[in-house]
Amino acid sequence: LIGRVEAAGNVRVSDFTSRCTSTGRAIVGSSVLFGLWHALPAWSTISVYQTGAIRDAGAAASVGVVVGGVVITGIVGAGLAWLRLRTDSLAAPVLVHVAANSASYLAAFAIARWL
């Protein structure tokens, strides 16, 4: 959810939510969108790096993994929205997102080297 952009470049989600809906609904809506946004990358990752267990279980297992990933990512999105509202800054959730992505890439690299 994007509100009005101030001269300093700070996105004011609170302005948007106060005009359009409650804060809780805005967090739920943005979290659902955040989770769904990550569905295609999750599906692509599974199709490229299928492990034996997922490949042997078939398409239903792949769908289950993607749905689980979307749910978990949606929960993370709620946390990021809460952090945005709590800090009144977009920088905090962006930095947390960058740190989480960086950690996951490093972990995947380490696991790939280990296997």
Side-chain angles (χ1 to χ4, degrees), residues 6-84:
E6 295 182 343
N10 192 14
V11 178
R12 301 293 299 191
V13 176
S14 58
D15 291 347
F16 178 81
T17 58
S18 65
R19 286 191 308 244
C20 297
T21 187
S22 71
T23 301
R25 286 184 186 170
I27 289 174
V28 169
S30 65
S31 299
V32 167
L33 291 174
F34 189 77
L36 290 174
W37 183 262
H38 289 82
L40 185 58
W43 187 262
S44 297
T45 300
I46 287 174
S47 65
V48 172
Y49 300 107
Q50 281 188 352
T51 64
I54 293 174
R55 185 177 47 248
D56 294 343
S62 296
V63 170
V65 168
V66 171
V67 169
V70 167
V71 169
I72 291 170
T73 307
I75 292 168
V76 169
L80 294 174
W82 173 84
L83 184 61
R84 163 64 181 97

Side-chain angles (χ1 to χ4, degrees), residues 86-113:
R86 171 93 175 160
T87 62
D88 197 30
S89 170
L90 191 57
V94 166
L95 291 174
V96 168
H97 191 276
V98 168
N101 283 356
S102 298
S104 67
Y105 287 126
L106 289 173
F109 178 76
I111 290 169
R113 299 265 320 201

